Amino acid sequence: MAVPPQLRALLLAVNALLRKRRYHAALAMLKGFRNGAVYGAKIRAPHALVMTFLFRSGSLQEKLRAILQATYTHSRNLACFVFTYKGLCALQARVQGETYQAHSFLAAFIGGLLLFGEHNNINSQINMYLLSRVLFALCRLGVEKGYIPEPRTVTCGTISQTSSSTTRAFPQSNVPPTCLWGLLHPRSAPSVNPPSGSFMVRTVFNLS
């Protein structure tokens, strides 16, 4: 099927525009905004759907409204953050004439302050996720530097009833998981029984 001449000319003009270096920063900001919006919607919509119908009370309309609101908030915040981050990085590079590592930190700091400083469930979950990634990375760095003992290896047993057995080694470290679960455990429980799974989910993810 032949492409109409008008469409071919439009595509050539768009491709020529995209290849121009002067528009690279602006196009990166727009692309980042698009990617942030799409990614935020893809990861929040299924999570909000499951968690809302499991733990939230109310009518179907209220549940659907909550799902859409959570998806919109997550998608908007990620999109605006990437847009701000890309824009500030490009601005700093243009002002100083060169890109430095501190540019990323300053751009992310300002973007996080503007977009993720508000206290709500969505921002709290994102901030907790980022904090866990940072702490986990610091623990691995501590192992590499020798500040934390070398992880031990846990071997799983047989996976079949035949004489041949298959084992797998999973690296684990005693210190980070112990501290993590100790901090996540509630200070006081209403009974002597350990908290249920739903209680732990609500505690960790601040769902009400």
Side-chain angles (χ1 to χ4, degrees), residues 15 46 83 125 138 208:
N15 290 330
F83 185 85
Q125 293 171 17
L138 290 176
S208 58

Side-chain angles (χ1 to χ4, degrees), residues 60-76:
L60 178 61
Q61 184 178 2
E62 293 174 344
K63 291 181 179 181
L64 293 178
R65 185 183 297 112
I67 295 171
L68 293 177
Q69 181 62 38
T71 304
Y72 168 76
T73 302
H74 196 146
S75 178
R76 179 202 62 191

Side-chain angles (χ1 to χ4, degrees), residues 10 22 26 30 81 83 92-93 111 120-121 126 153 157 170-171 173 190:
L10 178 61
R22 70 174 68 178
L30 293 177
F81 173 81
F83 185 85
Q92 294 175 96
N120 55 55
N121 288 342
I126 295 175
T153 300
F170 293 91
S173 178

Side-chain angles (χ1 to χ4, degrees), residues 1-198:
M1 183 177 180
V3 180
Q6 296 84 355
L7 181 59
R8 185 184 298 109
L10 178 61
L11 292 176
L12 292 176
V14 171
N15 290 330
L17 179 65
L18 294 177
R19 284 195 295 267
K20 290 186 178 180
R21 185 68 180 177
R22 70 174 68 178
Y23 302 119
H24 176 75
L27 293 174
M29 293 169 61
L30 293 177
K31 182 179 180 180
F33 183 89
R34 189 277 312 268
N35 291 344
V38 173
Y39 182 73
K42 285 174 61 177
I43 64 175
R44 175 55 58 175
H47 177 272
L49 176 67
V50 173
M51 301 303 290
T52 298
F53 279 95
L54 282 179
F55 299 112
R56 192 183 183 94
S57 60
S59 63
L60 178 61
Q61 184 178 2
E62 293 174 344
K63 291 181 179 181
L64 293 178
R65 185 183 297 112
I67 295 171
L68 293 177
Q69 181 62 38
T71 304
Y72 168 76
T73 302
H74 196 146
S75 178
R76 179 202 62 191
N77 286 3
L78 282 184
C80 293
F81 173 81
V82 178
F83 185 85
T84 304
Y85 172 81
K86 292 284 188 179
L88 291 177
C89 285
L91 179 62
Q92 294 175 96
R94 184 176 182 85
V95 169
Q96 295 189 324
E98 191 175 352
T99 300
Y100 297 98
Q101 191 172 5
H103 292 172
S104 297
F105 174 81
L106 184 59
F109 179 86
I110 297 176
L113 182 65
L114 295 176
L115 275 306
F116 297 107
E118 180 184 356
H119 179 66
N120 55 55
N121 288 342
I122 305 301
N123 287 345
S124 296
Q125 293 171 17
I126 295 175
N127 291 333
M128 284 191 294
Y129 169 75
L130 294 178
L131 178 61
S132 66
R133 292 291 299 267
V134 171
L135 293 178
F136 190 79
L138 290 176
C139 290
R140 297 190 64 177
L141 182 62
V143 172
E144 294 177 1
K145 298 295 184 180
Y147 301 119
I148 299 178
E150 187 72 19
R152 59 189 175 87
T153 300
V154 177
T155 305
C156 294
T158 60
I159 59 175
S160 63
Q161 296 181 355
T162 60
S163 57
S164 62
S165 61
T166 304
T167 60
R168 293 182 179 180
F170 293 91
Q172 290 189 353
S173 178
N174 294 332
V175 178
T178 304
C179 296
L180 177 63
W181 285 104
L183 292 173
L184 287 180
H185 198 281
R187 299 178 183 176
S188 60
S191 63
V192 295
N193 296 325
S196 61
S198 62

